[in-house]
Amino acid sequence: MQNNRPATLITVAEAAGVSKTTASDALRGSGRVSEETRAAVQRAADALGYVPNGSARHLRRASTGTIGLYVPEVLTRSDYYMSFVFGVVATASDNDYDITLITSGRARPPRVDGLVLGDPLTGDPVVEELMNAGLPTVTCERFPGRARPDGVVWSRHADVVGDLLDHLAASGAERPALLVAGDESDWAANVHRGYRDWCTRHGVAPAVRTVPFEAPAGDVHAAGRDLLRDEPGLDALVCAPAGSAAQLLPLLRDAGRRVGTDLLLASCVDAPDLLLTEPPVTAIDLRPRRAGAACAALLFELLDGTSPPGTERVHPIELIARASTAPISPR
């Protein structure tokens, strides 16, 4: 009669003809086990369909088997951060860990082994609390406040914004403007810096309007109207906040501007809807799922000691040119 019970370490050891301790060492790659024995144990485990008991392994290591993930609530409505979360979750699952989603208003430190903080904002009391909790912490982008995480995954936003502005200039733009969130986040501050540095190098007077993170459409429209009114020579608009480029398309059309013809439009955050607009909008692909996965992977390296505190990783991003920044038609 077939035994449908899950295979255990004991049944693997019996099938391989070794002790439970030897089987455990062979499967974990530790201990003084010959290659022949290690291969025999692995063959037995594969034949039996053995799956290691993650909970027991975490218990032996006196860990919770869980990492904490915090993304500011104001940011959770964007496609970028949903993809970022999925990247963290997938990597945690690959490492046999669960995720605790951390929300605002916590009265005590979370019961987790470590933390991933997505684009932490200076002045966020939850970020300050978590970074003072004494837990290994990895941030996506540097934290602008005083606390320092154990690991950072960051991108060269200022450089790629410069590449974007070079692309706009090559398409005929002479008066690019920037719509950006405040400098509470390292990402927004670097987008702003990249724009201003480019303007300085090219002798262009900056034209900037600031809106809150995840600003409602009304705030974005108001900033866009201000730029159109105050900058009559405006021929290119770079929108940093996620979703703001798509929100401005109707306003620009109502103002008589033809996007991709006499005004170039670009976004600093790519999203699926930017492929469906008319015209499709040029954007910077931040690769959020890979960013989340990279943050989680670095946290696990900190937890197992394979990377030292203070480790930083550069996460690659790239410019995706589309029809909204085609060469400007002669006037």
Side-chain angles (χ1 to χ4, degrees):
M1 183 173 62
Q2 185 177 4
N3 184 354
N4 292 322
R5 289 182 298 174
T8 66
L9 185 61
I10 293 175
T11 57
V12 170
E14 290 174 348
V18 299
S19 69
K20 178 182 174 182
T21 299
T22 298
S24 176
D25 287 345
L27 293 173
R28 289 188 294 116
S30 62
R32 301 179 65 179
V33 180
S34 69
E35 287 304 316
E36 181 181 358
T37 299
R38 199 182 305 280
V41 171
Q42 188 61 60
R43 285 195 299 271
D46 292 343
L48 293 169
Y50 172 68
V51 177
N53 185 327
S55 297
R57 186 164 62 250
H58 291 309
L59 183 61
R60 288 195 298 272
R61 293 196 314 226
S63 72
T64 67
T66 304
I67 62 171
L69 170 61
Y70 176 67
V71 175
E73 186 175 349
V74 70
L75 304 178
T76 55
R77 295 184 295 275
S78 76
D79 290 326
Y80 171 90
Y81 286 100
M82 289 304 297
S83 295
F84 178 85
V85 168
F86 285 130
V88 175
V89 170
T91 302
S93 177
D94 290 344
N95 284 271
D96 202 22
Y97 266 73
D98 294 324
I99 295 286
T100 291
L101 186 61
I102 298 169
T103 59
S104 59
R106 297 193 62 87
R108 57 180 174 78
R111 297 183 61 185
V112 296
D113 294 338
L115 298 163
V116 171
L117 309 183
D119 202 9
L121 307 180
T122 186
D124 185 336
V126 179
V127 170
E128 297 285 353
E129 175 189 344
L130 293 173
M131 295 190 75
N132 290 322
L135 293 166
T137 301
V138 171
T139 63
C140 184
E141 309 303 340
R142 296 186 174 97
F143 178 50
R146 289 176 295 178
R148 290 291 174 266
D150 299 282
V152 179
V153 174
W154 62 280
S155 298
R156 304 184 190 279
H157 299 288
D159 293 343
V160 180
V161 167
D163 294 341
L164 169 57
L165 291 162
D166 285 341
H167 167 70
L168 297 177
S171 292
E174 298 177 352
R175 189 73 179 107
L178 174 68
L179 182 68
V180 68
D183 290 353
E184 304 98 297
S185 85
D186 188 54
W187 165 75
N190 277 286
V191 167
H192 197 175
R193 178 171 61 84
Y195 172 80
R196 289 189 173 275
D197 288 350
W198 186 91
C199 288
T200 298
R201 290 196 303 271
H202 292 82
V204 174
V208 179
R209 293 296 181 277
T210 302
V211 295
F213 274 91
E214 289 297 293
D219 289 0
V220 172
H221 286 174
R225 282 192 294 269
D226 286 349
L227 282 169
L228 291 173
R229 181 193 66 226
D230 299 339
E231 302 292 339
L234 179 70
D235 55 13
L237 179 57
V238 177
C239 299
S244 57
Q247 291 171 353
L248 283 175
L249 274 169
L251 174 74
L252 296 172
R253 292 194 190 102
D254 290 345
R257 304 305 298 267
R258 295 171 298 161
V259 173
T261 302
D262 69 0
L263 186 142
L264 308 184
L265 181 67
S267 173
C268 291
V269 183
D270 201 8
D273 63 335
L274 297 182
L275 289 167
L276 305 175
T277 57
E278 182 53 44
V281 175
T282 290
I284 297 174
D285 183 1
L286 301 181
R287 299 174 176 172
R289 186 163 185 140
R290 295 183 187 179
C295 288
L298 178 53
L299 178 59
F300 290 122
E301 292 175 21
L302 291 166
L303 289 172
D304 65 22
T306 55
S307 288
T311 298
E312 295 192 1
R313 301 270 167 79
V314 177
H315 170 62
I317 58 178
E318 67 172 329
L319 175 65
I320 308 294
R322 300 186 179 115
S324 70
T325 58
I328 294 175
S329 300
R331 299 182 182 181

